[in-house]
């Protein structure tokens, strides 16, 4: 499995809680701020590294 350099969560700013929830192929990766310290936010990390669809 390829490990991507994950961004900090755009909502809570934690850097060690973000996980790739789903690979969207050419659309990037669907990420979630998970774990006991995560805030539960989800967002899309686009192929160019930008973030979108932040919930």
């Amino acid at each position: 499995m390829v490990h991507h350099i994950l961004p900090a969560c755009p909502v809570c700013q934690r850097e060690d809680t973000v996980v790739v929830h789903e690979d969207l192929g050419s659309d990037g990766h669907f990420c979630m701020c998970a774990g006991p310290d995560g805030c539960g936010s989800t967002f899309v990390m686009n192929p160019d590294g930008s973030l979108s669809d932040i919930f």
Side-chain angles (χ1 to χ4, degrees), residues 6 18-24 29-34 42-43:
L6 298 173
V18 175
V19 296
V20 173
H21 191 63
E22 185 178 352
D23 188 335
L24 304 174
H29 296 85
F30 181 68
C31 300
M32 178 178 232
C33 186
T42 59
F43 57 94

Side-chain angles (χ1 to χ4, degrees), residues 2-47:
V2 176
H3 289 280
H4 299 273
I5 298 173
L6 298 173
C9 175
V11 178
C12 71
Q13 304 303 317
R14 286 184 178 269
E15 296 182 355
D16 55 356
T17 53
V18 175
V19 296
V20 173
H21 191 63
E22 185 178 352
D23 188 335
L24 304 174
S26 61
D27 290 330
H29 296 85
F30 181 68
C31 300
M32 178 178 232
C33 186
D37 295 327
C39 67
S41 298
T42 59
F43 57 94
V44 173
M45 181 174 66
N46 299 303

